[in-house]
Amino acid sequence: MKNLKVTLPFTVILLVAILFVPVSCSKNKNPFEVDPAFSAYVLSFTSGIVSGATTIQVRLIQEVAGAEPGKTLAENPFSFSPGIEGKAVWVDKQTLQFVPETRLKPGTLYEAEFALHQFADVPSGLKKMTFRFQTMKQYIRFEFNGISPVNGNDMQWQNVHGIFTTADYADAASIEELVTFSSLKGKT
């Protein structure tokens, strides 16, 4: 009878944990769906996981009268959360591209709102199309390929050989900021 008293509360706690853990772990993981009614007006848009150096595009079904490729729009039809500074430019007569001023933050989920009603006659429920995309997380790996002296047998200065591999684009200056070398004497 003693075993029953100890295991009954343990079993109840275990069952409660099993029932509530999946519910609490599933918050905000539902896929985001764009209303299929937009497919009558929008051919494609940026979605999924993208580079931090990307532009955000929306391609319309119909050409827009007065659209000039390369021309920056006076009124930006895009808005983002979190916010992104930049400009909207026509790529061609059907495609608008938002060009961010700076690289997007890595590993960030963005929600975009596009003012479709500025370019097509749409029902009131389709004036603004909301969609999401996420920037990839940046990972950097260094593969060490040995060292060699800079000048023949003089071991005071050494060349370090290797290859940096990144998940997303990274310029040389960014990589250089991450790298430091030191000697046993503490010099860098």
Side-chain angles (χ1 to χ4, degrees), residues 8-175:
L8 186 59
F10 177 74
T11 306
V12 170
I13 291 171
L14 184 62
L15 285 173
V16 168
I18 290 171
L19 292 174
F20 287 106
V21 168
V23 172
S24 65
C25 291
S26 65
K27 290 180 183 176
N28 295 327
K29 292 191 178 179
N30 294 333
F32 184 80
E33 294 183 18
V34 175
D35 185 343
F38 283 107
S39 65
Y41 306 97
V42 176
L43 188 60
S44 63
F45 53 90
T46 299
S47 64
I49 298 176
V50 299
S51 169
T54 195
T55 58
I56 297 90
Q57 291 190 351
V58 172
R59 183 165 176 84
L60 305 171
I61 296 280
Q62 301 281 330
E63 288 187 355
V64 175
E68 295 177 36
K71 183 177 180 185
T72 300
L73 279 72
E75 185 179 338
N76 186 357
F78 293 93
S79 63
F80 301 95
S81 178
I84 306 172
E85 296 296 320
K87 61 183 178 182
V89 179
W90 284 106
V91 174
D92 57 37
K93 291 185 177 270
Q94 290 174 262
T95 309
L96 276 161
Q97 173 175 268
F98 180 83
V99 181
E101 285 180 6
T102 60
R103 288 180 52 83
L104 302 178
K105 294 177 187 171
T108 303
L109 178 65
Y110 289 93
E111 186 165 293
E113 191 174 84
F114 178 71
L116 180 61
H117 69 282
Q118 293 179 10
F119 310 100
D121 186 23
V122 295
S124 62
L126 301 178
K127 286 185 175 187
K128 295 192 177 191
M129 181 180 77
T130 302
F131 58 98
R132 289 185 184 166
F133 59 92
Q134 183 173 357
T135 52
M136 62 180 68
K137 292 180 181 178
Q138 180 65 287
Y139 293 101
I140 300 174
R141 188 184 90 182
F142 178 72
E143 182 180 327
F144 178 71
N145 291 333
I147 59 174
S148 63
V150 173
N151 294 319
N153 291 330
D154 181 5
M155 297 303 205
Q156 183 176 0
W157 297 100
Q158 300 287 319
N159 284 321
V160 176
H161 306 280
I163 299 171
F164 282 99
T165 305
T166 61
D168 195 3
Y169 171 81
D171 60 14
S174 298
I175 299 294

